[in-house]
Amino acid sequence: MPRKMSLLSIVILVLVVIGIVSQTISNPYQLLIPVVVFGVIYLLYKFPPGGVRTKAKPRYKTQSRKDQPAKSKQRKNMPFRVIEGGKDDDNLPKYH
């Protein structure tokens, strides 16, 4: 279900579009620098230089681990412990 846009957000969006179009018509080179900078940042994010995004080597279990029988995981039956606390003094006010 599409979300409705409020009147204020539509007005702001229209003003942004008008500002970008008028800036592009009056001085297109001033808009070119931010577009190039954001494009370079996006390309560096998508395709990082060097071996930063290398695939991890799959880890194999050693042979000794495979030979050992699997231990069954059982939880210890531990009862809850109650920590005794002091009662509030009736003479003191509850709020400071």
Side-chain angles (χ1 to χ4, degrees):
M1 171 167 41
R3 195 175 80 178
K4 284 188 166 184
M5 294 179 65
S6 67
L7 181 63
L8 180 65
S9 61
I10 292 173
V11 169
I12 290 174
L13 188 63
V14 167
L15 289 175
V16 167
V17 169
I18 290 172
I20 289 173
V21 168
S22 67
Q23 187 68 32
T24 304
I25 292 172
S26 66
N27 192 359
Y29 295 110
Q30 192 174 5
L31 186 67
L32 185 66
I33 294 172
V35 168
V36 169
V37 169
F38 284 124
V40 168
I41 290 173
Y42 177 74
L43 285 176
L44 285 175
Y45 175 73
K46 267 312 225 190
F47 308 106
V52 175
R53 288 179 75 182
T54 58
K55 292 184 179 180
K57 294 180 182 178
R59 295 184 180 181
Y60 297 106
K61 292 185 178 181
T62 59
Q63 188 65 21
S64 62
R65 290 261 182 183
K66 288 182 181 179
D67 292 340
Q68 293 177 351
K71 294 181 181 178
S72 62
K73 295 189 177 192
Q74 294 178 352
R75 296 186 84 183
K76 293 182 181 179
N77 188 10
M78 297 187 70
F80 290 106
R81 283 198 288 180
V82 177
I83 301 172
E84 293 295 329
K87 287 187 174 182
D88 290 339
D89 197 11
D90 292 333
N91 296 335
L92 294 174
K94 293 197 183 247
Y95 301 104
H96 301 298

